[in-house]
Amino acid sequence: MFRFYFVIATSVISFLIFSYRYHKMNKYPDKYTDKDRYDLARMACNCVRKRGRVTTHVFGKEKLPENGGYIMYPNHQGKYDAIAIMLAHDTPCSFVVDSQRSKVKLLNEVTDLVHGERLDKHDIKGQVKSILNISKAVSDGKRYIMFPEGGYGEKVEDNIVHEFLPGAFKAATNSKCPIVPVAIVDSYKVFLKNSLRRVNCQLHFLDPIPYEVYKDMKTIEISEMVHSLIENKIAEVVNEA
């Protein structure tokens, strides 16, 4: 967490500029496009990356579908994961975030900018509504980041991929969209280790899974398939290191 507090302490001016532009966009929403809002969110993310002394090596961007909505399903290692994906994803995308975590300063503003979906883990009806909202948005062409592990622990566990929640894939089956597995490697080192050494992590966009491939599968089968693809890719990367 030391790196996280270091980023906050050394980015006061940048965050003040960000805050000013954020409030201006909220005051005059009709003057700004989703791309404008996304670019501002990415500016904040890039500030965190630079101040945190992080380099993200990105692979597979050319595999991302050019048209239509889709959902990216990555493994989850820490606070830097969504930042890494947004910085690598040039066109606007949104994400699903725990409603409690989203109240944190900066994350709250970034969530607003990209129209993120806040999900309350203790509200079943609210979760169903969120899934329906995401499904409709993706059907309309929006792209989402959704972490099927449901969260991450505060204990460093290297590149372990925990069990996926099958319900997370309901949004994909509802919208009949491509599923894009994303393998994240070594991002746990960014904020879960007390160090300011430069950190290198990797982000791998894997081959999209079209609806035709998974349409007859149950969500638990889809979750196991995506989990296996991500786990195998991480093992491949780690073994090559």
Side-chain angles (χ1 to χ4, degrees):
M1 289 297 290
F2 178 69
R3 190 188 306 269
F4 177 76
Y5 294 121
F6 175 81
V7 169
I8 298 299
T10 58
S11 305
V12 175
I13 294 177
S14 295
F15 289 161
L16 286 174
I17 294 172
F18 166 79
S19 181
Y20 169 76
R21 293 181 62 188
Y22 163 75
H23 287 295
K24 187 177 180 181
M25 284 187 174
N26 278 353
K27 188 174 182 179
Y28 305 104
D30 295 337
K31 291 186 177 182
Y32 301 95
T33 65
D34 284 345
K35 184 65 165 61
D36 294 329
R37 298 173 67 89
Y38 187 65
D39 287 344
L40 180 59
R42 291 179 86 200
M43 185 201 83
C45 290
N46 199 41
C47 178
V48 172
R49 183 195 65 79
K50 287 183 177 180
R51 296 291 184 180
R53 297 161 58 85
V54 184
T55 299
T56 307
H57 303 278
V58 181
F59 304 89
K61 282 180 65 172
E62 71 282 355
K63 297 178 181 180
L64 292 170
E66 293 184 5
N67 302 307
Y70 53 82
I71 303 177
M72 294 169 275
Y73 287 97
N75 57 305
H76 206 3
Q77 296 189 350
K79 293 181 176 67
Y80 185 71
D81 297 343
I83 293 174
I85 296 173
M86 288 178 63
L87 288 176
H89 198 278
D90 297 327
T91 56
C93 69
S94 191
F95 54 78
V96 182
V97 61
D98 177 80
S99 58
Q100 292 301 314
R101 289 183 185 273
S102 71
K103 296 177 182 178
V104 176
K105 191 66 177 174
L106 187 61
L107 176 56
N108 178 61
E109 285 81 356
V110 169
T111 302
D112 284 344
L113 284 170
V114 300
H115 305 296
E117 188 69 32
R118 292 175 167 84
L119 190 147
D120 187 344
K121 295 180 180 179
H122 305 291
D123 182 359
I124 302 300
K125 288 185 179 180
Q127 291 179 33
V128 172
K129 183 179 179 181
S130 292
I131 292 296
L132 292 175
N133 289 342
I134 296 165
S135 301
K136 184 181 185 306
V138 174
S139 295
D140 291 339
K142 196 165 184 177
R143 290 83 186 265
Y144 263 92
I145 304 165
M146 199 167 187
F147 294 99
E149 283 174 274
Y152 56 87
E154 297 300 325
K155 182 181 178 181
V156 175
E157 297 183 273
D158 295 328
N159 288 296
I160 295 173
V161 184
H162 297 285
E163 185 178 354
F164 285 177
L165 301 173
F169 294 88
K170 196 66 179 174
T173 59
N174 286 347
S175 59
K176 301 179 181 181
C177 71
I179 289 172
V180 181
V182 183
I184 299 175
V185 183
D186 288 342
S187 76
Y188 70 90
K189 296 178 180 179
V190 178
F191 292 127
L192 293 183
K193 282 196 170 184
N194 290 319
S195 170
L196 280 180
R197 290 183 179 181
R198 291 192 177 277
V199 174
N200 286 280
C201 58
Q202 295 186 30
L203 182 68
H204 296 260
F205 293 106
L206 307 186
D207 292 324
I209 305 170
Y211 175 67
E212 290 70 26
V213 171
Y214 69 83
K215 65 179 181 179
D216 296 321
M217 299 171 66
K218 296 179 180 178
T219 52
I220 189 169
E221 295 173 324
I222 300 171
S223 71
E224 290 172 350
M225 174 178 63
V226 176
H227 184 283
S228 179
L229 290 169
I230 293 173
E231 193 170 50
N232 289 341
K233 184 61 182 181
I234 291 175
E236 174 189 321
V237 173
V238 171
N239 290 334
E240 287 179 354

